[in-house]
Amino acid sequence: MNNVNFVFYHPHLDPISDRTLRALLKKISTILREIQYQEVFHLINISDISPSEKQSMRDRVKGPINHIDAYYLQKLEKGSIEITISLTAFGIWLLQQTIGESIKEAWLKSEMHKNLVSYLSGDARKEVLDRNIDRVLENWTFDNYLVEDVSKTTDEKGDINVRVVLGTPYEVQRRINENKVPVTLEDIIKESEKEIAKLDAQNDDKN
């Protein structure tokens, strides 16, 4: 019911190092926090409260939303790389808590909670998220990866599924290809055996 799932797919990252994966996941976290940030601020801005109350809510939410758990990792597949994640609801949860902290009148709190439930369970959220996802991904800035395609579908449960196909600039991909062969114990043993043979030959020549 209006849950949001993402698949980030890159066809040319195999194998992938821990450093590369950490950098990619960090970027994805930033992107998904921004999507939640946009949604929360949209709900505050369209609410029927005074400008000072809106500002109070924005101030209360702004700091904590930068540190929320942005997603849950559902699946990670290699052979290229495909990361399947689900967007958390922490941004909306922060907004829910902020209603109680920032609004004084009980009736207005009640109305805002009713509007929040209506928004989360209705079709309006799909339109807001669709717009926010496009806006955030269009502003993706990360030297090592480019957004090549974005497709969005809604499944039979009403969940929104977003597939993001990533690419890599030529120079970056060339460096990855040059360094992508993993170093294994077998490689180290072979190199050491070669070095031993070479040194033994040098000792034989001296003798």
Side-chain angles (χ1 to χ4, degrees):
M1 183 178 67
N2 282 352
N3 294 309
V4 188
N5 306 304
F6 283 82
V7 173
F8 289 87
Y9 172 75
H10 194 300
H12 304 302
L13 290 180
D14 181 32
I16 184 169
S17 70
D18 64 327
R19 182 177 180 181
T20 300
L21 182 59
R22 284 198 308 271
L24 181 55
L25 291 176
K26 184 176 180 180
K27 179 60 181 180
I28 290 172
S29 295
T30 300
I31 289 293
L32 299 188
R33 283 193 188 96
E34 180 62 24
I35 289 171
Q36 295 199 49
Y37 180 93
Q38 295 277 349
E39 181 179 28
V40 167
F41 271 54
H42 166 77
L43 291 171
I44 293 172
N45 291 336
I46 66 170
S47 62
D48 189 21
I49 57 178
S50 69
S52 63
E53 288 170 324
K54 289 180 181 180
Q55 187 59 52
S56 173
M57 293 184 72
R58 286 192 291 263
D59 290 343
R60 288 178 181 271
V61 169
K62 192 172 184 178
I65 208 168
N66 290 322
H67 303 286
I68 62 172
D69 293 332
Y71 64 85
Y72 299 115
L73 180 63
Q74 302 292 344
K75 184 168 61 174
L76 176 60
E77 295 184 1
K78 63 183 288 287
S80 59
I81 186 169
E82 186 167 288
I83 303 171
T84 303
I85 61 181
S86 59
L87 193 70
T88 69
F90 275 105
I92 296 295
W93 179 83
L94 278 173
L95 175 62
Q96 183 187 60
Q97 302 307 305
T98 305
I99 291 172
E101 296 169 355
S102 301
I103 308 300
K104 295 180 180 179
E105 296 87 348
W107 68 269
L108 187 51
K109 290 182 185 180
S110 176
E111 285 302 308
M112 291 194 69
H113 283 295
K114 289 177 184 176
N115 290 338
L116 184 59
V117 170
S118 177
Y119 168 80
L120 293 175
S121 56
D123 292 331
R125 189 180 191 219
K126 291 185 178 71
E127 297 177 9
V128 172
L129 284 171
D130 187 64
R131 185 169 61 249
N132 289 345
I133 289 167
D134 286 344
R135 181 186 298 126
V136 172
L137 289 177
E138 284 170 5
N139 290 314
W140 172 295
T141 53
F142 194 44
D143 291 341
N144 289 347
Y145 302 103
L146 306 170
V147 174
E148 294 194 342
D149 184 62
V150 179
S151 57
K152 296 187 287 292
T153 58
T154 303
D155 62 24
E156 66 278 359
K157 297 183 293 185
D159 291 347
I160 302 164
N161 299 296
V162 185
R163 183 174 179 84
V164 182
V165 178
L166 301 175
T168 305
Y170 172 76
E171 283 301 316
V172 175
Q173 188 62 48
R174 183 176 61 82
R175 292 199 303 271
I176 291 173
N177 290 340
E178 289 173 352
N179 299 308
K180 72 188 300 183
V181 178
V183 177
T184 66
L185 290 177
E186 288 79 7
D187 295 329
I188 295 171
I189 291 170
K190 287 178 182 178
E191 286 298 318
S192 292
E193 288 174 339
K194 288 178 183 178
E195 190 64 22
I196 291 167
K198 183 173 72 173
L199 293 171
D200 286 346
Q202 289 175 359
N203 289 331
D204 290 342
D205 290 341
K206 290 178 181 179
N207 296 328

